Amino acid sequence: CAARELGQPVVVQNKPGANGILAVNYLKAQPADGYNLLSIGMSQMTITPYVYKQQPYDPLRDFDGVAVLGTSPLVLAVPAGQGIASLADLQKLARSTPGGVNFGSPGKGSPAHLLTSALIEKLGVPGTHVPFVGEGAGLTALMGQQIHAMTLVIGT
């Protein structure tokens, strides 16, 4: 437990939404005293701030990096029982569904959003992006068959 190792209480605050902008801006507003840390995916410092007309924060000016904690592969997931076992099956579904496939992501501009958009384009089929507030909400919609596909961090 981090609290035991550090010899002091540790408070974890989850701040989902806007592909991490809410959490990042929350941290930015906290004192730079070494007691406030943020664990994030790569997109919050490499993609998100650069896809908005008005940059919500400057990763180089506003923050100091501490450590790379790990890596997380992304996987394309579809609802079970839909008969989708390959990209060809997803392509066939998209072509036979009016408007194509609805695919979820944890937010606009996230790696999952961009990767799935590129995949849909590569397959040459129509698709609609459905952004969610974090992966959990998107995964719930995926399991409930409200969306056809979602790219997720493998741990999710």
Side-chain angles (χ1 to χ4, degrees), residues 27 36-42 45 63-71:
L27 178 68
N36 295 290
L37 301 170
L38 178 68
S39 175
I40 56 172
M42 62 97 177
M45 294 297 157
F63 302 99
D64 290 322
V66 177
V68 174
L69 300 177
T71 60

Side-chain angles (χ1 to χ4, degrees), residues 4 16 18 34 61 65 85 101 103 140-141 143 156:
R4 186 172 45 247
R61 186 189 68 228
V101 293
F103 64 93
T140 300
M143 292 187 306
T156 304

Side-chain angles (χ1 to χ4, degrees), residues 7-154:
Q8 63 185 32
V10 173
V11 177
V12 176
Q13 294 183 351
N14 292 312
K15 300 237 178 246
N19 195 33
I21 292 176
L22 299 179
V24 173
N25 279 331
Y26 177 81
L27 178 68
K28 182 180 167 184
Q30 302 307 305
D33 57 9
Y35 288 95
N36 295 290
L37 301 170
L38 178 68
S39 175
I40 56 172
M42 62 97 177
S43 69
Q44 288 76 31
M45 294 297 157
T46 61
I47 299 171
T48 303
Y50 305 103
V51 296
Y52 292 88
K53 287 182 182 179
Q54 220 172 27
Q55 194 175 24
Y57 51 88
D58 183 331
L60 297 175
R61 186 189 68 228
D62 296 334
F63 302 99
D64 290 322
V66 177
V68 174
L69 300 177
T71 60
S72 298
L74 297 172
V75 295
L76 181 66
V78 297
Q82 296 293 299
I84 304 170
S86 67
L87 288 177
D89 293 338
L90 184 63
Q91 186 178 40
K92 187 183 207 179
L93 173 69
R95 287 189 173 140
S96 66
T97 303
V101 293
N102 294 321
F103 64 93
S105 83
K108 292 192 316 189
S110 67
H113 170 210
L114 300 176
L115 179 63
T116 312
S117 293
L119 176 64
I120 294 295
E121 184 176 317
K122 182 79 172 168
L123 292 175
V125 296
T128 300
H129 175 232
V130 182
F132 289 92
V133 178
E135 285 189 326
L139 182 58
T140 300
L142 184 69
M143 292 187 306
Q145 300 179 10
Q146 296 165 328
I147 56 174
H148 299 107
M150 184 169 179
T151 300
L152 301 159
V153 173
I154 198 164

